[in-house]
Amino acid sequence: MVKRRTVLLGGAATAGALVIGWGVVPPRQRLHTAQPLPPATGQVALNGWLKVAADNTVTVMMAKSEMGQGAHTGLAAILAEELDADWAQVRLEMAPIDDIYNNLATVVDGLPFHPDNDGSIKAVAGWLTAKTMREVGVMMTGGSSSIKDLWRPMREAGAHARAMLINAAAVQWKVQAAECKASAGVVEHAAGQRATFGELAALAAQQPPPGKVTLKEPAEFKLIGKPLTRIEAPSKLDGSAVFGIDAHPPGLLHASVVMCPTRGGKVAQFDGAAAHKMPGVKQVLAVAPYHGGTGGVAVIADTPWHAKKAAAAVTVQWDHGPAATLSSAAVMTQLTHALDQAQGFGYHSVGDVDKALQGAATTLTADYRAPYLAHATMEPINCTVQFKDGVASVWTSTQVPGLARMAAAKALGIDEDKVTVHQLLLGGGFGRRLEVDYVAQAAAIAKTAGGAPVQTLWSREQDIQHDFYRPACVARFKAGLDAQGQLVAWHNVSAGQAIVPQVLARTFGLPGAGPDKTTSEGAFDQPYEWPHARIAHEIIDLPLPVGFWRSVGHSHQAFFKESFVDEAAHAAKKDPVAFRAALLQKHPRHLKVLQKAAELAGWGQPLPPDASGVQRARGVALHQSFGSIVAQVAEVSVGADKAIRVHRVVCVIDCGAAINPNLIAQQMESAVVYGLTAALWGEVTIKDGQVQQSNLHDYPLLRMSDCPRVETHIMASAEPPEGVGEPGVPPIAPAVANALFALTGQRLRALPLKLS
């Protein structure tokens, strides 16, 4: 069957090869787009990932969104490395929407298998999922997958283009290609001939595609592994960077929206007469709920201020919908009741945990809980749309450009090929811009503007109160220890909403199928060698919409799991680091990360009081997420007013090959700040179906004055690169909670952390 691969790659298969052959061959090529890339003057495209211009610039086609994580810099360096380009000649252009840019890694990693599972079922499921996503998946930036997803395709694209340039030089000089080499944007021949990539580009594009190419060994890397300056940094420093909110096509109008205060509600009726009389107002209209969003009224005006003032003057009667009676207290009661009643779907089981608990010398149990959380990105939700002459242009910050195009087309009632998406920088995403409710809403508003472009901008209040929230979750643990204090049994059941079925329903109108890994990730997929264990989750349906939040299930499950590990260590009268180390004897990478963090933090050495006599303590947490292993040690103090202060965080990460150590350190710092914000203050509460928080005064973010010193250490590794953007978030909350226990003796089992 493998010999029939070339037939299958052509898009047709013989009857005998259709099913089995499709399952055996790898995903179809990710080198060439369905339509040739549109070149600018002097440019030629050598494949779907890069164009070379006569002025010797190399334009890398960027299929991932830049939202501060540094993906553009890291990915450009990977391609430039294999191309042998000079870093100074590299430019970026957002890629068109095409299947070769579909994200394979996130969906494959979302399969509900334990990382230690190396069985054939996991291999086949991953293989088939990757092949399917190549054909019918989506372009997506999320799941800390940008580098992992494109590590191979961008290296191959660079290597193929380098081979074409070398072949062009060989043809031009009438020499053997093997006698030529590329370096820093130039091809040279042993006899002294020399030509830049720009001089060879046109001829290179006429060369037949090379066959097999050889990728570099790590010892040959010149760019990968180096602390290259962020490629978009100059534009951010001089103000020329264009975020979604900066879109300003000629003739721009502005729209402000006021949505039903109950999440998921809609307009029953409205009176816009007063708003119509206000300065600058062009239109007042009702907007429906789109893609799981909330309905409301919108005002189009000549300025954002006029639009906002007029929107506040509209009188609305609301249909509050099914969430009208929902409250945070009722949610927690329902989730806790589920723990009392259900066993949940088992994600991981080993041994006989019930028998082991019965025979344990010591048993302990504890319940943990975490609240809903909003994303609160720096750039509020916005989208600019122009609909004229049956075609549309969309300017937006999005993590899913293909889905944004689909949503706009559906809202406008036109085909997707009549919508052009201009993908701009994101002022934060964290998963919120994986949703397309705001794109559809903006398109529907612009449809009424008579061909003028309209920017729909949400206020901070509308943003926080109409989010897709990190699910609230509760967990119950039971552990058994033998007479020597060794952990012999681990039982964990959690309860909360499932994200993936909601996303499938509101985005594609599809039902969820199979278990949703995000409900239990961070609980079941960990390296600890529990002799007897069962880890499960019970899905609870609630009317509040939930979505992907930075590190998703890991964000709360790590707090639950690592806090209870500390409880078990305390019950066993063992040091928390030593207790964990005993559970990692078959996981040397994890053990080394843990030990390095302890070493760098000075674990076991006394912490003297500061100049004011305030005592500090350390807490540790170890967690694996998105393929990366992170250990953190937090140094914490408590003020006289019981305010929690984190002074220092030692963060050690093994993320495989480090593409750019600067970016990794920046992401660990960012993750600590984001995770610490949630650990100390993050909480969305619901009353009568309405979110009670509205702005940064009651949904606060960590201030610079409260930021700890973050010291990042990157473990050397020859493994392929793994995720970086999210893995630093999960360990910080339990590290702080464990430090607080060491300092005060109080075991905090609920987020946000509050001392009594």
Side-chain angles (χ1 to χ4, degrees), residues 306-363:
H306 284 149
K308 183 177 180 180
K309 291 290 287 184
V314 180
T315 301
V316 189
Q317 293 182 18
W318 301 108
D319 176 350
H320 291 277
T325 61
L326 194 70
S327 71
S328 299
V331 167
M332 284 300 170
T333 298
Q334 187 171 345
L335 297 183
T336 303
H337 180 70
L339 291 181
D340 297 332
Q341 301 296 318
Q343 290 297 311
F345 176 85
Y347 283 86
H348 182 65
S349 183
V350 59
D352 188 335
V353 69
D354 292 332
K355 184 177 180 180
L357 283 168
Q358 291 172 4
T362 303
T363 59

Side-chain angles (χ1 to χ4, degrees), residues 4 63 85 98 110 149 180 196 289 333 377 402 416 454 518 540 550 557 611 632 636 644 735:
R4 298 191 183 187
D98 191 277
D149 184 52
C180 304
T196 67
T333 298
T377 60
E416 289 184 34
V454 180
T518 68
I540 306 300
R550 190 176 185 179
Q557 293 286 5
Q632 291 175 356
V636 177
I644 300 166

Side-chain angles (χ1 to χ4, degrees), residues 1 8 15-25 128:
M1 300 305 300
L8 293 169
L18 180 59
V19 177
I20 301 176
W22 192 88
V24 171
V25 299
L128 292 176

Side-chain angles (χ1 to χ4, degrees), residues 373-385:
L373 291 177
H375 295 85
T377 60
M378 182 178 294
E379 178 187 10
I381 290 297
N382 67 89
C383 181
T384 303
V385 179

Side-chain angles (χ1 to χ4, degrees), residues 1 115 123 135-136 161 261 310 336 350 368 399 537 598 662 707 737:
M1 300 305 300
E135 306 303 326
V136 296
T336 303
V350 59
Y368 282 81
Q399 296 173 245
H537 182 87
N662 273 359
C707 280

Side-chain angles (χ1 to χ4, degrees), residues 22 27-28 30 98-109 125-140 149 504 508:
W22 192 88
R28 197 158 57 91
R30 297 180 74 184
D98 191 277
D99 286 342
I100 71 164
Y101 309 123
N102 288 348
N103 189 316
L104 278 57
T106 292
V107 184
V108 172
D109 288 349
W127 187 273
L128 292 176
T129 299
K131 289 170 62 62
T132 302
M133 290 303 102
R134 166 61 179 85
E135 306 303 326
V136 296
V138 296
M139 289 176 66
M140 178 178 69
D149 184 52
L504 290 174
F508 303 105

Side-chain angles (χ1 to χ4, degrees), residues 581-597:
L583 297 172
L584 295 170
Q585 295 306 300
K586 297 178 182 178
H587 290 81
R589 289 180 69 185
H590 300 76
L591 184 58
K592 289 178 181 177
V593 169
L594 175 67
Q595 292 172 335
K596 177 58 71 172

Side-chain angles (χ1 to χ4, degrees), residues 37-40 43-46 49-53 57-59 61 93:
L37 294 177
Q43 283 184 334
V44 294
L46 298 186
W49 298 91
L50 78 154
K51 298 184 286 189
V52 181
T57 56
V58 172
T59 298
M61 306 307 297
E93 181 180 327

